[in-house]
Amino acid sequence: MRDAVKTLAQQRYRETFGRYYEEFAIGDLYEHRPGRTISETDNTWFSLLTMNTHPLHFDREYAAHSEFGQLLVASPLTLSIVVGMSVSDVSQKAKANLGWKEIRLTAPVFCGDTLYAETEVLEKRESASRPGDGIVTVKTTGRNQDGKAVCDFVRSMLVPKRGHGVDDAANY
């Protein structure tokens, strides 16, 4: 478990997020809440912002003639939301993302779907070159409102040990 607050002074507290290296345990599963419902506006803006011009993401009439019969959420948006849902619990204290692998988009996501995410700790080890840090590898899975897995990926992060994070600075 992690501490939820940092005591700053008598009767003064600061909410904390993320985990130190010591707080990760292989096999632990973290459920991330709240969920996130994806709107058509989210999908259109993301598609335009990233210059993704595939009409399946923003041309309703075109999408209606596809095998899906409706607009598809751009897969990088699905990935971004699932990653974002995990940050406050898993990687908010991380110093760096070290790598991603096995990114899979396992089912389509449609406008109006609500995503939920969960993360399993796969591995952890102390850093050989940075004694104040460790390397944590996790697998995060995104599911829709029906519990169907729509996305999963494995990522590794450089996570500080207690007393070595940015949050630990005396004046922060």
Side-chain angles (χ1 to χ4, degrees):
M1 298 302 288
R2 66 179 170 93
D3 297 329
V5 297
K6 178 179 182 180
T7 302
L8 302 174
Q10 184 175 355
Q11 293 187 307
R12 186 172 184 88
Y13 311 94
R14 181 175 295 147
E15 184 176 29
T16 63
F17 297 95
R19 295 172 190 272
Y20 289 102
Y21 175 76
E22 297 88 347
E23 296 172 306
F24 287 93
I26 294 171
D28 277 1
L29 191 65
Y30 312 130
E31 292 187 10
H32 310 300
R33 295 295 186 272
R36 174 65 158 80
T37 302
I38 303 174
S39 71
E40 184 174 339
T41 302
D42 295 329
N43 191 47
T44 300
W45 276 102
F46 187 88
S47 296
L48 295 173
L49 179 66
T50 59
M51 299 176 63
N52 182 340
T53 59
H54 199 295
L56 273 175
H57 304 309
F58 56 84
D59 183 333
R60 185 187 308 266
E61 197 57 34
Y62 180 92
H65 291 89
S66 74
E67 66 183 276
F68 304 107
Q70 60 183 308
L71 293 171
L72 281 176
V73 169
S75 53
L77 176 56
T78 300
L79 178 64
S80 295
I81 289 173
V82 172
V83 170
M85 292 173 75
S86 73
V87 169
S88 66
D89 194 12
V90 174
S91 60
Q92 188 118 355
K93 288 192 186 328
K95 293 181 176 179
N97 272 314
L98 300 177
W100 300 64
K101 62 181 181 178
E102 300 174 28
I103 298 172
R104 299 181 324 139
L105 303 160
T106 55
V109 176
F110 303 106
C111 298
D113 281 354
T114 301
L115 299 180
Y116 297 92
E118 61 187 35
T119 298
E120 179 182 3
V121 180
L122 300 178
E123 302 171 16
K124 66 181 267 190
R125 67 174 177 83
E126 294 190 24
S127 171
S129 61
R130 299 177 66 134
D133 301 319
I135 297 170
V136 178
T137 301
V138 298
K139 179 179 182 181
T140 300
T141 302
R143 299 181 187 282
N144 67 14
Q145 65 279 354
D146 299 320
K148 183 172 184 64
V150 297
C151 172
D152 60 52
F153 54 87
V154 174
R155 70 178 170 137
S156 295
M157 305 158 293
L158 183 67
V159 179
K161 293 179 181 176
R162 198 175 290 283
H164 296 273
V166 174
D167 296 13
D168 300 320
N171 62 351
Y172 176 74

